[in-house]
Structure formats: C-alpha cells, structure tokens
Amino acid sequence: MTPEQHLESFYRANRDQAVEYFYGSLCNANIKSYVEAPRGPTLAAVGQSFDNLISGLVNRTPELYVQSQTEMFKKRIAAGVAPRDLLAGLKSAEASIAWLIEQASLERPEFEPQLRRMGQQYLLMAQMTALSVRAYQP
C-alpha cells in the first residue's frame, strides 16, 4: 500500500468523523454561509468538498484542484459570498487536512513523512487558491 492509498482508505473509513471535523472548523470560523445554513444539506456539501480535496491530493492533480476551486469560488463571490469567508474556509480545510494526516500517520507511522509532504502540497494549493480569490474582481 502506498501512502496515497493509505490516506484515501483511512479517509473512507473515517469519512464521517473527518467531515464533522471540517464542518465544525467552518462553523467555529463563524462563516455566515455555514452557520446560518441548515445542517443536513450543508454537511453533505462539506462532505463533497472534502471528497474532492482528498481526491486532488491522492491523485496528485493540484493544478486541476486549484483551477476548479478558483472557478467555484468566483461563482460564489458573484453570488454574494464574501471573499473573507472563502479564505476562512480555506484555513478550515488546512486545519482539517492537518488533522486527517495526523490521524492517518498514527495508524501507519511509516508513512508519516510522505503524508506530511502531501499536507504541504495542500498548503501550496490553498495558498495558490487564496491568491486567486484575493486577486479576483467580479
């Protein structure tokens, strides 16, 4: 098993807990679109977002992930979502990925260095996306 396969299988086995962690992080950041929205549909959307994030990491498609996130964020900004909320969401995703990688590393310590590099790759993807969000003028 590769580190990527381990992260993906660990995520699948612990998806509910990981999605709850991400959702809690978004709510703790007091992001209006999460705090005020109904929990069920919002949790489902957060789960889909986390699924896409894990897929981007595991399949090593950072450019496509950044491009798709940037396009989605532009649509959300055009629909009235504050850029600061999107940036706070990126920070929540960073914390959630760090938590997931830490948990996966505890289960398979031999993969910790590779998993940490995957976390660093996500940080780079998040920074690239944040730059695009900050530069976007609708």
Side-chain angles (χ1 to χ4, degrees), residues 60-127:
R60 297 178 184 255
T61 55
E63 298 85 6
L64 291 175
Y65 177 79
V66 170
Q67 183 181 18
S68 69
Q69 284 296 100
T70 300
E71 289 305 313
M72 189 244 333
F73 285 167
K74 286 178 180 178
K75 289 177 185 172
R76 294 190 69 202
I77 290 169
V81 175
R84 66 178 155 60
D85 283 352
L86 297 173
L87 296 171
L90 283 171
K91 283 291 186 193
S92 293
E94 288 175 25
S96 300
I97 285 293
W99 174 84
L100 183 68
I101 285 173
E102 181 180 319
Q103 300 305 308
S105 294
L106 290 173
E107 187 174 280
R108 295 286 300 264
E110 69 274 20
F111 289 149
E112 183 177 6
Q114 295 95 332
L115 292 172
R116 294 233 179 263
R117 277 194 292 281
M118 290 172 71
Q120 291 169 344
Q121 179 185 19
Y122 176 73
L123 289 176
L124 178 61
M125 292 177 353
Q127 289 170 358

Side-chain angles (χ1 to χ4, degrees), residues 36 38 42 57 100:
E36 294 179 358
T42 305
L57 277 177
L100 183 68

Side-chain angles (χ1 to χ4, degrees), residues 22-79:
F22 189 20
Y23 177 76
S25 178
L26 291 164
C27 289
N28 288 340
N30 205 26
I31 301 171
K32 186 178 179 178
S33 59
Y34 292 98
V35 174
E36 294 179 358
R39 179 174 165 60
T42 305
L43 195 58
V46 168
Q48 183 62 48
S49 178
F50 214 1
D51 292 348
N52 293 340
L53 191 147
I54 295 299
S55 177
L57 277 177
V58 169
N59 296 318
R60 297 178 184 255
T61 55
E63 298 85 6
L64 291 175
Y65 177 79
V66 170
Q67 183 181 18
S68 69
Q69 284 296 100
T70 300
E71 289 305 313
M72 189 244 333
F73 285 167
K74 286 178 180 178
K75 289 177 185 172
R76 294 190 69 202
I77 290 169

